């Protein structure tokens, strides 16, 4: 099972990865995996497990354009991020990297540390207690990008951008 | 044809068809900006993942070394050396190296950013280009790499939030106060996925317009545009199809009366946590920091120098001035502004981003309090997560430097 990491609203990219821990500043780029929420939640990076999900309040990922914020989450293999509203650059970066983002407010439904399972294809979260939570279906183009594994493989496969008519 | 917002006009022109808010379009980009901090990863995606050998247009891909300039470590120095080699290999025309200044300010000074353009930067404050009526937007590594490879990008045509100013600033009040006031009303997410248009600011300089445009991202905006009209626009190349169209539809309209506006302070740790200066209380500061793409320009240094003129910083207060560009620094040097700042006890850094993202040149210690003319006061932004950052105008910065606590400019003018 995966666990829920619960966050409040307006979680900004400086909280996800402070600028001082950018790959640009590190000797070894792979070290980025040590720094998601390094100051906001110091226990996160060392205890997060692949497939864990982030449940957050409004405006998740506001602030900088730094793609290394969602990249750090990808490096620790976050299963999905669920928030009622995403800051737009974060949302795009996460889509480009193939990190599933669902637009829903589950901050009052799930609690921090709760055990859950994410059924990504069906868009359902099942709690250890057996509660089934349906996530709003993402637009078709987002599923296409996820299915390709991100925007770069998508572009290389189709030679076009999402939503663009095939040449 | 229905009346269009500035964003709809620009994206329609670029898409070659009439588009409206909500449409998803693929457009030709006019100018791309990449800076030192993200260039290594952009170049990696470009060559290793996309398999592109050359940038799409060597005249339209600009590179600026501003985020850690000059280099602060062997690590960043190596990245910058590699970046210079790459720029040479690619034959890129516009490299602005250490000391030239902050990307946004430099591209505008150089006349590369022009009204009606679509400009994509590897930096969230690329909304800055809205100061000349361009559609400037920030994107991450992968999106910018795609732009640099193909010259194109895709996006949703944004709705628009209209901020309508009326009247004139009172003494000691300036564009930063208007921007923070708007953030106070719209809040951090008020313009998410939308554009902001700033009307009623025809009298402002391009620099003041950039203050408004850079702060637009802090309310979540994709772009922040000031119509290219008024005296400051007389040197711009304005396309005939671009201009405010009466009847364009806005998702939210707010009015701000400049005659009533007080200096605004953004309290730690959120940009939209804004109050009138009189409601701040007695806040002692350790550092006054004047700089960034939001308020580090020549006119900001002048505004501070007017207040500091002939006086000294309060004991125990450090004042760090990091000009937004070498051009601004030169102007300040030639007309005595710099001398005034130095005589007051301020120190001057290399033009660039400085300590704005807490990497060098004035990083804060735990429990230090900073009065900052920049655009973000997030926890840990300028160094220690236990430092406190208050955002304000250059006028408030100077007044605060004189007294040692957050001060209304009129108290010392
Ligand atoms: S000055 Fe600060 S906000 Fe502006 S581009 Fe540099 S780091 Fe970003």
């Amino acid at each position: 099972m995966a666990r829920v990491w619960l966050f409040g609203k307006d979680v900004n990219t400086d909280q996800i990865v402070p600028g001082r821990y950018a790959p640009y500043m590190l000797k070894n780029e792979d070290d980025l995996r040590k720094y998601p929420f390094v100051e906001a939640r110091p226990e996160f990076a060392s205890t997060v497990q692949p497939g864990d999900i982030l449940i957050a309040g409004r405006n998740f990922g506001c602030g900088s354009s730094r793609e290394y914020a969602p990249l750090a989450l990808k490096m620790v293999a976050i299963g999905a991020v669920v928030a009622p509203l995403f800051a737009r650059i974060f949302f795009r970066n996460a889509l480009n990297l193939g990190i599933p983002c669902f637009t829903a407010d589950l901050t009052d439904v799930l609690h921090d540390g709760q055990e859950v399972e994410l059924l990504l294809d069906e868009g359902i979260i099942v709690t250890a207690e057996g509660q089934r939570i349906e996530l709003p279906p993402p637009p078709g183009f987002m599923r296409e990008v996820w299915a390709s594994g991100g925007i770069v493989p998508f572009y290389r496969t189709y030679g076009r951008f999402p939503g663009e008519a095939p040449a | 044809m229905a009346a269009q917002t500035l964003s709809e006009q620009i994206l329609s022109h670029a898409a070659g068809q009439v588009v409206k808010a909500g449409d998803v379009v693929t457009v030709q980009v006019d100018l791309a900006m990449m800076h030192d901090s993200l260039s290594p990863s952009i170049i990696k995606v470009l060559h290793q993942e996309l398999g592109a050998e050359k940038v799409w247009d060597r005249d339209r891909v600009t590179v600026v070394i501003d985020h850690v300039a000059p280099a602060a470590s062997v690590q960043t120095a190596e990245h910058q050396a590699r970046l210079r080699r790459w720029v040479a290999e690619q034959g890129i025309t516009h490299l602005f190296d250490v000391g030239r200044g902050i990307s946004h300010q430099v591209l505008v000074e150089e006349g590369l950013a022009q009204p009606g353009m679509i400009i994509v930067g590897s930096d969230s404050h690329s909304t800055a280009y809205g100061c000349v009526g361009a559609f400037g937007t920030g994107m991450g590594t992968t999106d910018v790499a795609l732009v640099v490879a193909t010259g194109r990008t895709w996006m949703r045509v944004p709705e628009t939030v209209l901020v309508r100013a009326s009247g004139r600033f009172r003494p000691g009040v300036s564009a930063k106060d208007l921007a923070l006031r708007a953030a106070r009303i719209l809040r951090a997410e008020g313009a998410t996925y939308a554009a902001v248009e700033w009307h009623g600011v025809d009298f402002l300089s391009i620099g003041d317009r950039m203050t408004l445009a850079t702060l637009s991202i802090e309310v979540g905006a994709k772009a922040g545009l000031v119509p290219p009209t008024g005296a400051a626009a007389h040197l711009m190349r304005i396309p005939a199809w671009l201009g405010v169209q009466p009847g364009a539809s806005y998702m939210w309209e707010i009015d701000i009366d400049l005659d009533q506006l007080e200096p605004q302070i953004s309290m730690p740790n959120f940009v939209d946590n804004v109050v009138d200066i009189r409601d701040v209380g007695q806040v002692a500061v350790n550092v006054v920091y004047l700089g960034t793409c939001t308020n580090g320009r020549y006119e900001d240094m002048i505004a501070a120098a007017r207040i500091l003129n002939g006086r000294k910083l309060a004991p125990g207060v450090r004042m760090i001035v990091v000009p937004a560009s070498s051009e601004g620094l030169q102007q300040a040097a030639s007309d005595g502004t710099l001398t005034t700042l130095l005589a007051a006890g301020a120190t001057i850094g290399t033009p660039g981003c400085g300590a704005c993202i807490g990497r060098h040149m004035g990083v804060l210690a735990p429990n230090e309090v900073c009065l900052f003319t920049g655009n973000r006061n997030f926890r840990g932004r300028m160094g220690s997560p236990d430092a406190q950052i208050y955002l304000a105008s250059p006028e408030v910065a100077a007044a605060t430097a004189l007294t040692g606590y957050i001060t209304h400019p009129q108290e010392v003018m």
Side-chain angles (χ1 to χ4, degrees):
Chain A
M1 288 221 124
R3 75 158 274 186
V4 166
W5 293 86
L6 189 66
F7 289 86
K9 72 184 190 77
D10 294 325
V11 171
N12 61 61
T13 49
D14 279 85
Q15 281 167 282
I16 304 174
V17 180
R20 285 165 287 127
Y21 300 94
Y24 186 41
M25 309 297 282
L26 305 176
K27 278 229 161 50
N28 182 353
E29 211 180 296
D30 280 344
D31 285 347
L32 180 59
R33 69 178 64 246
K34 297 188 213 155
Y35 301 117
F37 299 110
V38 58
E39 281 156 4
R41 271 189 99 159
E43 80 287 7
F44 181 86
S46 54
T47 48
V48 67
Q49 294 295 319
D52 281 2
I53 61 176
L54 303 190
I55 304 292
R58 297 182 69 80
N59 203 23
F60 186 84
C62 60
S64 145
S65 67
R66 60 188 68 156
E67 193 169 303
Y68 55 82
L71 182 62
L73 299 178
K74 186 176 173 171
M75 285 171 119
V76 297
I78 280 296
V81 188
V82 184
L85 180 81
F86 287 89
R88 96 177 192 2
I89 305 180
F90 180 91
F91 192 73
R92 235 182 124 107
N93 286 341
L95 175 69
N96 288 346
L97 293 173
I99 302 171
C101 290
F102 291 93
T103 305
D105 190 351
L106 300 183
T107 51
D108 290 334
V109 180
L110 297 172
H111 57 81
D112 192 55
Q114 194 169 353
E115 302 259 290
V116 295
E117 192 181 349
L118 170 69
L119 308 174
L120 186 60
D121 290 338
E122 294 144 69
I124 290 176
I125 292 176
V126 186
T127 66
E129 299 77 27
Q131 186 190 1
R132 290 170 73 84
I133 302 162
E134 265 186 56
L135 297 165
F141 70 80
M142 278 178 58
R143 286 213 172 270
E144 284 173 31
V145 176
W146 295 349
S148 300
I151 194 78
V152 169
F154 178 94
Y155 191 85
R156 294 202 74 164
T157 307
Y158 300 106
R160 63 176 175 84
F161 290 99
E164 191 180 10
Chain B
M1 195 175 76
Q4 291 185 306
T5 63
L6 295 177
S7 299
E8 287 171 330
Q9 293 166 38
I10 294 171
L11 293 171
S12 293
H13 184 260
Q17 63 186 62
V18 176
V19 300
K20 57 180 188 323
D23 294 347
V24 173
V25 293
T26 301
V27 290
Q28 189 68 40
V29 170
D30 296 293
L31 195 66
M33 184 284 291
M34 48 197 269
H35 56 62
D36 56 320
S37 180
L38 294 174
S39 288
S41 42
I42 293 167
I43 293 168
K44 193 167 131 198
V45 175
L46 182 71
H47 297 318
Q48 293 175 22
E49 296 180 27
L50 278 165
E53 279 174 22
K54 283 277 177 191
V55 302
W56 114 87
D57 186 336
R58 63 195 192 94
D59 295 326
R60 292 177 183 271
V61 175
T62 62
V63 178
V64 189
I65 299 181
D66 60 358
H67 270 57
V68 184
S73 61
V74 174
Q75 171 78 12
T76 48
E78 273 185 1
H79 277 306
Q80 293 176 13
R82 256 182 256 128
L83 179 56
R84 291 185 190 101
R85 282 199 295 277
W86 179 81
V87 164
E89 278 158 28
Q90 292 285 328
I92 285 172
T93 325
H94 303 292
L95 166 69
F96 301 105
D97 212 321
V98 170
R100 177 63 185 87
I102 304 166
S103 51
H104 313 311
Q105 178 65 22
V106 173
L107 264 52
V108 169
E109 281 176 5
E110 296 280 338
L112 290 165
Q114 290 290 336
M117 282 186 169
I118 295 178
I119 305 177
V120 172
S122 68
D123 186 285
S124 60
H125 292 97
S126 301
T127 51
Y129 308 111
C131 71
V132 295
F135 187 95
T137 196
M139 292 189 180
T141 300
T142 305
D143 274 319
V144 173
L146 276 159
V147 169
V148 167
T150 67
R152 300 186 317 140
T153 193
W154 64 294
M155 67 177 85
R156 194 177 156 280
V157 181
E159 281 83 25
T160 292
V161 173
L162 177 61
V163 179
R164 202 185 298 109
S166 58
R168 288 292 184 272
F169 296 118
R170 292 186 290 183
V173 182
S174 63
K176 180 62 155 291
D177 300 302
L178 167 58
L180 290 177
R181 182 70 188 199
R184 178 174 175 174
I185 300 168
L186 296 170
R187 304 309 305 258
E189 58 172 63
T192 301
Y193 308 123
V196 177
E197 276 184 35
W198 301 86
H199 292 191
V201 292
D202 256 13
F203 64 97
L204 290 183
S205 67
I206 292 181
D208 283 342
R209 295 176 190 205
M210 201 187 292
T211 305
L212 305 178
T214 53
L215 252 303
S216 301
I217 176 70
E218 306 310 331
V219 291
K222 184 179 282 189
L225 296 108
V226 180
T229 47
H234 81 282
L235 285 178
M236 297 179 194
R237 300 194 292 274
I238 305 162
W241 47 264
L242 184 67
V244 170
Q245 296 179 357
S249 102
Y250 301 103
M251 63 178 271
W252 189 0
E253 300 179 30
I254 63 170
D255 288 287
I256 296 177
D257 181 358
L258 304 183
D259 291 316
Q260 301 297 323
L261 189 63
E262 285 283 311
Q264 303 288 294
I265 307 288
S266 167
M267 314 274 282
N269 297 314
F270 295 98
V271 182
D272 61 347
N273 188 13
V274 177
V275 300
D276 285 355
I277 195 163
R278 74 172 104 88
D279 297 324
V280 171
Q282 180 99 347
V283 176
V285 308
N286 307 96
V287 183
V288 171
Y289 187 107
L290 189 137
T292 82
C293 54
T294 292
N295 279 120
R297 275 171 284 280
Y298 171 63
E299 53 250 66
D300 302 317
M301 290 187 272
I302 293 225
R306 276 205 194 107
I307 292 172
L308 293 172
N309 191 16
R311 292 184 272 188
K312 293 275 181 204
L313 305 185
V317 172
R318 318 192 285 285
M319 182 166 180
I320 300 171
V321 178
V322 179
S325 73
S326 58
E327 198 175 296
L329 176 56
Q330 261 182 36
Q331 277 177 290
S334 61
D335 71 2
T337 301
L338 212 51
T339 311
T340 305
L341 296 174
L342 290 167
T347 187
I348 312 290
T350 307
C353 297
C356 180
I357 29 173
R359 288 172 176 173
H360 68 160
M361 283 168 49
V363 171
L364 302 177
N367 304 318
E368 281 192 326
V369 178
C370 177
L371 191 289
F372 183 33
T373 65
N375 44 51
R376 284 194 182 132
N377 54 358
F378 300 152
R379 187 165 173 259
R381 172 82 178 173
M382 297 180 77
S384 167
D386 300 316
Q388 306 274 303
I389 307 167
Y390 292 79
L391 305 179
S393 68
E395 291 83 354
V396 172
T400 300
L402 286 176
T403 61
Y405 57 91
I406 295 178
T407 300
H408 194 306
Q410 271 182 335
E411 281 180 36
V412 294
M413 276 164 88

